[in-house]
């Protein structure tokens, strides 16, 4: 039998076999580099959008039946910004900019014309999505956690995506990205957005305070400077609160205190570590963002708004009592508790390189609850240690921690801090290191005999001595 007859027999078999049998025998694999030309030829000939350009990280999957290609799926980078996707995930603009690589987009899905049959599309799509994380990891070194795609509502219903477990998630705005990554052109053809989680921990990974180690290869550490941590209405609300802070400057002819302090707080909440980084953050904001922060118009009749200079920020922060800023910001945080975006990075930042801020944040969302000034001394390790402990003790007494569990590193594992947490209605979980040998040894003995997180029964002493530990209820009585 020659090769031509063998191919013909396979085609005949594919058409004659019952659909269920064929679908059960489908397999999926990643396309090989030497198959690139064949992939592009088929997409260019049969897909209504053509083969398209390969940009960024890409992957092509081949669905086959006994070696014969029946479908192709091309994957690539996710859309830069989608309002409905962002709301579903719940991440901040900064997290989106940093972790967009963990989202992949199905850019082309083609069932080859000669092999089309009922249910083949949804079956091929389901197989491909299940294999996608492993295929992507083999090629790019990490697993994506969310897949997205679009369907043209004028031409397709998206039935195969729905059948394969994808969820519709709103509509696009009718813009397409041009050759430049930051330029979009309106094409007036909105498309339906579909999303498919690739991990049961998708939201936790995309919204965590820190990118989990296994996914850092897909994250972008050099995030754009212009990612604002708050929405427009929240920024306006914060600015109104900061306007009330008394201005300590003698000459206040140019920049209003509310504008400068809003920029400082935006920088802190976005994770900027010092005044130089906050200044740079302001320089990279877009025209619309500058308008939200009430930056001044550019001089000489030039269109647009100018950002504050480093000197303007330094002059204000040098003269300002940082406790006054902390009080105003705490009042605003308390008023917006539960509504702030996840993972606002506030704690452990130096303002003007000599004032360290410290914050309480919610465990689940990362949103700050309260902040204070840890040290007004120059930036040194000694000042940080002494100031952070002192500030934390101040927060235990000034913040409502009733029923809360306070977690902290080994720096805070000392008697006075523990007493303050308990006296104010909270619980604590502090890290313990062997630089406290007595406590570390006692903890080791407890951990060796029973888990400290399980109820324990009273141990009957072998001598006449009484135990100093308060007994806890046994599992049978609780």
């Amino acid at each position: 039998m020659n090769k031509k007859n063998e191919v013909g027999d396979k085609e005949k078999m594919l058409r004659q076999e019952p659909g269920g049998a064929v679908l059960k025998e489908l397999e999926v694999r990643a396309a090989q580099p030497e198959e690139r030309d064949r992939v592009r030829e088929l997409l260019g000939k049969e897909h209504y959008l053509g083969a398209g350009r390969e940009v960024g990280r890409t992957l092509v999957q081949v669905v086959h039946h006994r070696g014969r290609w029946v479908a192709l799926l091309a994957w690539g980078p996710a859309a830069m910004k989608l309002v409905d996707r962002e709301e579903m995930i719940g991440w901040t603009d900064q997290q989106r900019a940093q972790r967009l690589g963990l989202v992949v987009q199905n850019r082309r899905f083609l069932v080859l014309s000669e092999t089309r049959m009922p249910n083949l599309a949804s079956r091929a799509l389901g197989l491909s999505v299940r294999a996608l994380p492993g295929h992507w990891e083999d090629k790019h070194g990490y697993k994506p956690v969310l897949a997205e795609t679009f369907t043209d509502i004028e031409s397709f219903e998206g039935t195969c995506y729905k059948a394969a477990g994808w969820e519709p998630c709103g509509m696009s705005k009718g813009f397409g990205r041009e050759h430049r990554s930051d330029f979009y052109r309106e094409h007036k053809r909105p498309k339906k957005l579909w999303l498919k989680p690739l991990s049961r921990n998708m939201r936790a990974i995309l919204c965590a305070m820190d990118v989990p180690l296994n996914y850092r290869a897909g994250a972008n550490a050099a995030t754009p400077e212009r990612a604002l941590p708050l929405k427009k209405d929240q920024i306006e609300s914060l600015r109104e609160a900061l306007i009330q802070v008394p201005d300590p400057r003698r000459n206040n002819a140019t920049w209003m205190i509310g504008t400068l302090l809003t920029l400082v707080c935006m920088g802190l909440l976005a994770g900027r570590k010092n005044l130089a980084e906050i200044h740079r953050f302001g320089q990279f904001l877009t025209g619309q963002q500058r308008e939200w922060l009430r930056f001044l118009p550019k001089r000489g009749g030039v269109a647009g708004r100018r950002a504050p200079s480093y000197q303007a920020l330094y002059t204000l922060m040098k003269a300002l009592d940082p406790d006054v800023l902390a009080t105003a910001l705490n009042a605003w945080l308390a008023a917006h508790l539960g509504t702030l975006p996840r993972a606002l990075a506030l704690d452990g930042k130096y303002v003007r390189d000599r004032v360290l801020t410290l914050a309480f944040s919610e465990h689940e969302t990362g949103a700050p609850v309260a902040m204070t000034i840890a040290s007004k001394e120059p930036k040194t390790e000694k000042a940080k240690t002494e100031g952070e402990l002192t500030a934390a003790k101040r927060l235990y007494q000034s913040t409502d921690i009733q029923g809360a569990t306070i977690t902290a590193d080994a720096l805070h594992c000392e008697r006075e801090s523990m007493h303050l947490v308990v006296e104010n209605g909270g619980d604590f979980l502090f890290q313990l290191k062997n630089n406290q040998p007595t406590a570390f040894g006692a903890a080791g003995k407890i951990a060796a005999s029973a888990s400290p997180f399980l109820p324990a029964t009273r141990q009957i002493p072998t001598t006449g001595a009484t135990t100093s530990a308060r007994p806890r209820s046994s599992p049978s009585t609780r």
Side-chain angles (χ1 to χ4, degrees), residues 40-245:
R40 293 191 60 81
E41 180 183 358
L42 289 171
L43 290 174
K45 182 186 301 183
E46 299 192 25
H47 199 284
Y48 77 104
L49 293 176
R53 295 187 303 113
E54 295 185 1
V55 179
R57 298 184 180 109
T58 61
L59 173 72
V60 174
Q61 291 177 304
V62 177
V63 181
H64 61 94
H65 175 259
R66 299 183 181 178
R68 183 164 185 259
W69 292 15
V70 299
L72 297 173
L73 293 96
W75 303 86
M80 292 291 291
K81 188 173 183 180
L82 297 169
V83 174
D84 294 316
R85 180 191 65 194
E86 270 60 286
E87 289 183 356
M88 188 279 287
I89 295 172
W91 57 13
T92 65
D93 284 347
Q94 186 180 10
Q95 288 174 324
R96 173 183 54 80
Q98 183 187 46
R99 305 172 194 192
L100 194 61
L102 299 179
V103 182
V104 295
Q105 185 180 117
N106 177 214
R107 301 199 156 206
R108 297 291 187 271
F109 178 29
L110 173 66
V111 176
L112 300 179
S113 58
E114 295 184 353
T115 59
R116 289 175 186 169
M117 59 183 299
N119 301 320
L120 189 148
S122 58
R123 174 66 175 173
L125 185 59
L127 287 173
S128 299
V129 168
R130 285 193 289 273
L132 175 61
H135 289 167
W136 193 273
E137 183 179 28
D138 290 341
K139 185 172 183 181
H140 300 295
Y142 68 95
K143 293 181 178 180
V145 298
L146 179 66
E148 68 181 28
T149 195
F150 297 94
T151 55
D152 191 333
I153 59 175
E154 296 181 5
S155 305
F156 304 98
E157 293 291 335
T159 305
C160 65
Y161 287 99
K162 185 176 182 179
W166 292 61
E167 292 291 332
C169 193
M171 304 290 294
S172 70
K173 302 301 182 182
F175 287 83
R177 185 159 50 179
E178 292 292 290
H179 61 284
R180 294 201 339 255
S181 62
D182 59 349
F183 181 77
Y184 288 79
R185 177 179 62 84
E186 186 176 10
H187 52 62
K188 298 182 179 179
R189 293 190 64 179
K191 297 183 179 181
K192 181 180 289 188
L193 170 65
W194 298 82
L195 297 175
K196 175 68 173 177
L198 304 176
S199 168
R200 67 182 63 183
N201 298 318
M202 177 268 296
R203 284 190 179 87
I205 294 168
L206 294 178
C207 300
M209 290 288 287
D210 297 309
V211 180
L213 182 62
N214 293 343
Y215 297 92
R216 289 180 186 174
N220 176 19
T223 57
E225 294 284 342
R226 59 183 180 223
L228 285 178
L230 299 178
K231 296 181 179 179
K232 178 184 177 182
D233 58 338
Q234 294 170 329
I235 293 173
E236 292 176 346
S237 173
L238 177 60
R239 184 177 178 277
E240 289 299 318
L242 296 177
I243 288 176
Q244 309 304 318
V245 175

Side-chain angles (χ1 to χ4, degrees), residues 331-377:
W332 183 83
L333 291 172
H336 292 79
L337 185 63
T339 65
L340 296 176
R342 296 180 173 95
L344 297 182
L346 181 64
D347 52 330
K349 305 298 183 290
Y350 280 94
V351 183
R352 74 172 187 260
D353 290 329
R354 68 191 192 100
V355 177
L356 175 67
T357 65
L358 184 73
F360 278 169
S361 299
E362 292 181 345
H363 280 245
E364 293 184 358
T365 67
V369 176
M371 62 90 67
T372 189
I373 302 300
S375 175
K376 300 179 184 179
E377 300 301 323

